[in-house]
Amino acid sequence: MISLVAKMAMHPAYQRIIGMGQPVVPLILRELEREPDHWFWALQSITGANPVKPEQRGRLMQMAEAWVQWGKDCGYRW
């Protein structure tokens, strides 16, 4: 059985976004800040980073906040 998140991450459109690489990172971070959603797999695939702490896993808002803060700390602007 495949999880809903894994199914979404394997969607061709999601994979094309990942394939765009670093230029889409600020766009994804802006979207996470505006409306948190499941962009974490894409961000981790593109950047190789994972700022989400174990206790934040599964908590969409906290995960989004961790990524947005990571982006700011890394100098991304959106």
Side-chain angles (χ1 to χ4, degrees), residues 35-57:
E35 186 175 336
D37 204 349
H38 292 280
W39 287 107
F40 316 115
W41 188 321
L43 286 167
Q44 189 170 356
S45 294
I46 295 166
T47 67
N50 185 5
V52 177
K53 296 176 183 166
E55 63 270 16
Q56 295 172 316
R57 290 184 195 147

Side-chain angles (χ1 to χ4, degrees), residues 54-70:
E55 63 270 16
Q56 295 172 316
R57 290 184 195 147
R59 295 184 168 97
L60 187 69
M61 294 298 290
Q62 290 181 21
M63 294 169 68
E65 289 170 7
W67 273 104
V68 168
Q69 187 59 52
W70 173 88

Side-chain angles (χ1 to χ4, degrees), residues 2-18 38 41-42 45:
I2 188 166
S3 76
L4 181 59
V5 174
K7 186 176 180 180
M8 178 196 65
M10 293 295 106
H11 190 279
Y14 195 91
Q15 289 296 307
R16 283 193 297 274
I17 291 168
I18 291 171
H38 292 280
W41 188 321
S45 294

